[in-house]
Amino acid sequence: MRRAPSPTARRPPSTSPRPWTGYAPTRVDGGRIALWFFSGGGLLSTDWLRERPSWLRAVALTYPLLAPMPGWGVDPRFAPGAAIGEPGDPVPPLLLTRAGRERQEIAETVAVFLDAATDAGVRVEVIDVPGGQHGFDMLDHTDESRRAVERAADWMSQRLAR
């Protein structure tokens, strides 16, 4: 009986002197990609919202931080709210999942982002999780949390199916 190779056997060695080409995903359609940003990763959505590549079908933001916090020393270019207002191709469909028990300083960045989207005429679909805290998908084992995660996953799947 022949054994399947170990998943770790397919990984490149950390000292590989050349690009590793041993794995090619077979179920990825390069023309239909969606990006999902959580928490502080929301700042990393900036370039994608600014550049808007044709293959980007959707962007989801879950309990995101959408502006650098004072004193963090983050490059000010990481400003998703400013990026969606810049000229260019249309902004891809946006989903924002908002935790109702979010820390005030993070909730304020979300409010500023949503105002910027309104000002730019960009539609943002919002899933509110009134009883959810930051990290609700991992921390809150409630029906409300599960429904929010399912709705967001369904939303993303629908955008990729088009």
Side-chain angles (χ1 to χ4, degrees), residues 1-102:
M1 172 189 259
R2 187 169 177 210
R3 294 178 65 192
S6 159
T8 57
R10 297 186 60 112
R11 292 188 185 140
S14 60
T15 58
S16 179
R18 57 187 160 72
W20 184 66
T21 58
Y23 175 74
T26 58
R27 297 181 53 189
V28 174
D29 178 347
R32 293 188 304 173
I33 304 290
L35 300 174
W36 201 330
F37 300 91
F38 291 78
S39 190
L43 296 174
L44 300 177
S45 69
T46 302
D47 289 339
W48 302 108
L49 295 174
R50 181 176 290 122
E51 298 299 324
R52 308 168 194 159
S54 61
W55 48 260
L56 183 56
R57 294 289 180 97
V59 172
L61 304 158
T62 299
Y63 46 81
L65 173 66
L66 293 170
M69 294 283 106
W72 276 16
V74 174
D75 188 323
R77 80 176 180 83
F78 290 105
I84 61 172
E86 292 179 8
D89 290 333
V91 174
L94 294 174
L95 174 67
L96 191 146
T97 303
R98 181 168 50 186
R101 294 174 31 221
E102 183 60 88

